[in-house]
Each structure stands twice: as structure tokens, then as C-alpha cells.
Amino acid sequence: AAFLVIWNTGLIQRNATAVTIHGVKYTAADTQYYFNTTRLGILNFYYSNLGMLPFDTSTSTKDQVYDSSTGQTWYDYLMEQTLNTMSLYASALDKVQEEGYTISESSQEELDAALSSLDTAWESTTYTSRDAYIRANYGPYMTYDRLVDLYSDAYLAQDYLNHVQDSFTYTDEDYEAYYQENANTLD
């Protein structure tokens, strides 16, 4: 009976490791956050660019085929993309730690706005509290504090990745030389 009481609190599910990436242990709640973020990003991309949804949102993605030649489902594809994102962010956060990088002022402002929005988003919905809104949108084991940590990590990792990308400089001659060396592959 005691085990059932503890199980029903979600304490075990909230803290158990679901996946380990680059030595970082992610819980089911963490993985669900990244999965939901990936799913929403793909839905927004398809709808914004193609005016349609890539899969039926009223049916489980586990039951919908993404690639008929391999039998891969939309769930499999979304989970693959989720794990790729988690791996990329874990690597970026390792570099942030290693280099002592701090988030830029503009990214910190975006993060602050996102967190402020999170505090009030539930008010215009049918949810009775911020925590109910968070559980409904980020999974039943997500807490506000953990969501703030995940938001902060994601903004910091993305800011670092943008910083690295912006540090690359290439001239038109560099692009042309690369094309000439790789024309067969690129064409």
C-alpha cells in the first residue's frame, strides 16, 4: 500500500532516469519536455510553411507512419529528433561550462519574457493553476522549478550555438573554392 501511495505521487517517475546523454541523466519529465517541444516545432513548421499538419494530432503518433519504406512511425521520428536535440544541447552545455560562457543579454531578456509568460499563460485557459497548465502541456511529472531549469538550459545552449555559428566568417571566394572542390557531390 505504501508503494502505491508513493507511486501515485509521481515521485519515482519524476526522478527516475529515462535516458543518459553525454553523462547527463534526463528524467521522463525532461524527455517529455524535449519531445513536446520537438513535436510542437514540427507542427508549427508544417503549418506555417505548408498550411497543413504533418500528422493527425487527435491520434497517437505511435500509430501513424512517417516513412512507409522503413515503417518508422511519427513517434519514432519525433523521438529521434528529440534525442538529437538533447544531445546537441548537452554538448553545447558542456562547452558553456568548459569555456565559462554566459548567456547574452538579448537571450536572457527572451528567457525572462518566456518565463514571465509561463507564469500567466494559464490565466486565459480553463486550467485552474499554473501547475495544472504545466502538467497538461509538459507532462504529468513536470514541475514549475524543473521547467524553469529546462527553459534556462535550452536558452543558454541555443545562445551558445548561435554565438559559435556567428563566429564563422567566410568570403565569397571561400564559398566558390569549396564549391569547385566539391562540385560533383554538391551538384
Side-chain angles (χ1 to χ4, degrees):
F3 177 76
L4 285 177
V5 169
I6 293 170
W7 181 263
N8 287 335
T9 66
L11 185 64
I12 294 170
Q13 303 92 317
R14 187 173 17 259
N15 294 310
T17 299
V19 64
T20 301
I21 300 173
H22 301 289
V24 178
K25 295 179 179 183
Y26 293 95
T27 65
D30 299 341
T31 306
Q32 186 69 45
Y33 161 79
Y34 281 105
F35 182 87
N36 288 349
T37 302
T38 299
R39 181 180 180 275
L40 183 59
I42 288 174
L43 287 171
N44 286 338
F45 174 81
Y46 271 80
Y47 192 75
S48 296
N49 293 303
L50 304 173
M52 58 181 252
L53 297 177
F55 52 85
D56 183 353
T57 58
S58 65
T59 304
S60 172
T61 53
K62 292 179 179 179
D63 299 329
Q64 299 179 61
V65 176
Y66 169 75
D67 185 343
S68 59
S69 66
T70 64
Q72 183 181 37
T73 65
W74 268 100
Y75 175 83
D76 296 332
Y77 173 75
L78 291 169
M79 186 54 74
E80 181 180 290
Q81 297 306 306
T82 296
L83 294 174
N84 288 343
T85 298
M86 292 170 77
S87 179
L88 177 65
Y89 281 9
S91 294
L93 292 171
D94 282 347
K95 288 294 198 181
V96 162
Q97 190 78 5
E98 186 180 302
E99 297 175 13
Y101 182 83
T102 56
I103 194 166
S104 69
E105 187 176 320
S106 62
S107 288
Q108 183 63 54
E109 288 171 3
E110 289 175 21
L111 172 60
D112 292 345
L115 292 175
S116 177
S117 175
L118 180 63
D119 277 335
T120 58
W122 68 274
E123 294 172 352
S124 62
T125 68
T126 58
Y127 298 106
T128 57
S129 69
R130 178 191 68 197
D131 293 338
Y133 173 82
I134 287 170
R135 285 189 302 276
N137 287 283
Y138 296 100
Y141 307 116
M142 183 58 69
T143 65
Y144 174 77
D145 290 340
R146 184 60 187 146
L147 187 57
V148 168
D149 290 343
L150 291 168
Y151 265 43
S152 299
D153 284 350
Y155 274 82
L156 177 57
Q158 192 58 58
D159 185 62
Y160 175 78
L161 293 169
N162 290 341
H163 165 76
V164 170
Q165 184 176 356
D166 291 346
S167 72
F168 299 137
T169 55
Y170 300 102
T171 64
D172 287 342
E173 291 78 22
D174 293 332
Y175 288 120
E176 183 60 32
Y178 181 82
Y179 173 75
Q180 293 303 325
E181 292 173 19
N182 299 284
N184 290 338
T185 304
L186 293 172
D187 289 345

